[in-house]
Amino acid sequence: MALTNAEIDWNQEQQIARIIKRTRFSQTKTLKSFDFKFQPSINQQEVLGFQDLAFLKKKENLVFIGSPGVGKTHLAIGIEACRQGKRVLFINCHELLLRLRTANEKDILECCISRYARYELLIIDEIGYLPIGNDEANLFFRLINARYKQHSTIITSNSDLSGWVEILQNPAVTAAILDRSVHHVHVVKITRKSYRLKGVN
Ligand SMILES: Nc1ncnc2c1ncn2[C@@H]1O[C@H](COP(=O)(O)OP(=O)(O)OP(=O)(O)O)[C@@H](O)[C@H]1O
Ligand SMILES: [Mg+2]
């Protein structure tokens, strides 16, 4: 029996919902619900433009910078990439570092890095909330290097790029990471107040 258009749409939506769930987003909001008027520091046209995923084709990175609650994770565009069938992983920075460290201890680092390197889009959320030790900074560099010019990475951070040396605590590794992350990058700086505190004076 042939499926109706409505049934096909429903099946597709179910499939997309399963993919989105597998991606493990911390929130599943889309740009449709983002109030750009609340954050006039954002170039709305630029951010909406990311939805065409041209940055993925060009292997460009995106970095969202701003203080807590300004919408960095909300804007991190992954849902749209999932909807368009891309292989996406969303991961908190410290969870990622823990996984890399564990893989290193188990002597399976190469395998772990190549797995993370294969995602068409890797979203690393929350760089900067906790300091990153020297060994972890090195592991992080290995991952960024493996993805460099191969696939796009989105990073959210509460710290400006100039503050990453304090987070990563190693100037040489920081320079190497920055060099690769900000080569072909779109940096979106959000300077206004937290949406979480909207209405609170
Ligand atoms: N301009 C906005 N319009 C609509 N919702 C927003 C806006 N900015 C933030 N939000 C909502 O506010 C909450 C906090 O936003 P989000 O988690 O993206 O902030 P963040 O910058 O990632 O903060 P943190 O650094 O604490 O992780 C989310 O529920 C998000 O959907
Ligand atoms: Mg966030």
Side-chain angles (χ1 to χ4, degrees):
M1 195 175 67
L3 295 177
T4 64
N5 284 346
E7 282 167 336
I8 290 168
D9 284 353
W10 189 83
N11 281 343
Q12 274 175 353
E13 282 304 315
Q14 293 298 305
Q15 200 186 354
I16 289 166
R18 274 197 300 275
I19 293 169
I20 288 173
K21 200 165 170 207
R22 232 179 13 223
T23 308
R24 303 188 304 141
F25 289 109
S26 66
Q27 50 173 277
T28 52
K29 298 198 176 156
T30 63
L31 294 188
K32 268 193 205 124
S33 64
F34 195 82
D35 179 1
F36 283 94
K37 286 201 193 82
F38 186 79
Q39 294 296 358
S41 63
I42 298 174
N43 180 338
Q44 177 174 356
Q45 219 179 339
E46 181 189 29
V47 171
L48 292 178
F50 295 150
Q51 292 178 106
D52 68 10
L53 305 187
F55 72 96
L56 284 190
K57 267 197 213 119
K58 296 188 222 156
K59 326 291 183 206
E60 292 170 346
N61 298 328
L62 308 183
V63 178
F64 292 93
I65 291 173
S67 45
V70 294
K72 304 180 295 294
T73 305
H74 186 142
L75 288 176
I77 221 88
I79 300 284
E80 195 48 48
C82 281
R83 293 192 75 86
Q84 295 187 34
K86 304 297 176 194
R87 281 197 74 225
V88 182
L89 183 73
F90 177 98
I91 190 161
N92 173 277
C93 177
H94 291 280
E95 189 186 334
L96 173 67
L97 295 176
L98 182 63
R99 282 165 185 253
L100 291 176
R101 206 176 60 203
T102 308
N104 196 27
E105 283 162 8
K106 290 187 181 161
D107 227 5
I108 51 167
L109 183 65
E110 289 303 328
C111 170
C112 181
I113 285 185
S114 66
R115 187 165 62 84
Y116 286 122
R118 279 197 299 272
Y119 284 98
E120 287 169 286
L121 176 60
L122 181 66
I123 304 172
I124 306 174
D125 197 33
E126 298 192 352
I127 290 188
Y129 279 117
L130 298 168
I132 295 172
N134 201 30
D135 291 347
E136 285 163 338
N138 280 311
L139 296 173
F140 188 55
F141 166 72
R142 299 264 303 265
L143 173 62
I144 294 292
N145 195 38
R147 292 186 63 78
Y148 178 56
K149 288 190 177 166
Q150 304 296 320
H151 290 303
S152 299
T153 305
I154 297 182
I155 293 174
T156 79
S157 179
N158 66 327
S159 168
D160 229 322
L161 298 177
S162 58
W164 285 20
V165 70
E166 265 167 56
I167 300 161
L168 293 157
Q169 299 176 34
N170 177 331
V173 173
T174 308
I177 290 173
L178 277 175
D179 196 50
R180 284 155 183 78
S181 325
V182 304
H183 183 218
H184 297 138
V185 72
H186 301 270
V187 179
V188 177
K189 283 192 194 176
I190 314 172
T191 54
R192 219 187 155 222
K193 63 181 182 183
S194 167
Y195 193 85
R196 288 196 191 101
L197 303 178
K198 195 178 171 207
V200 178
N201 287 317

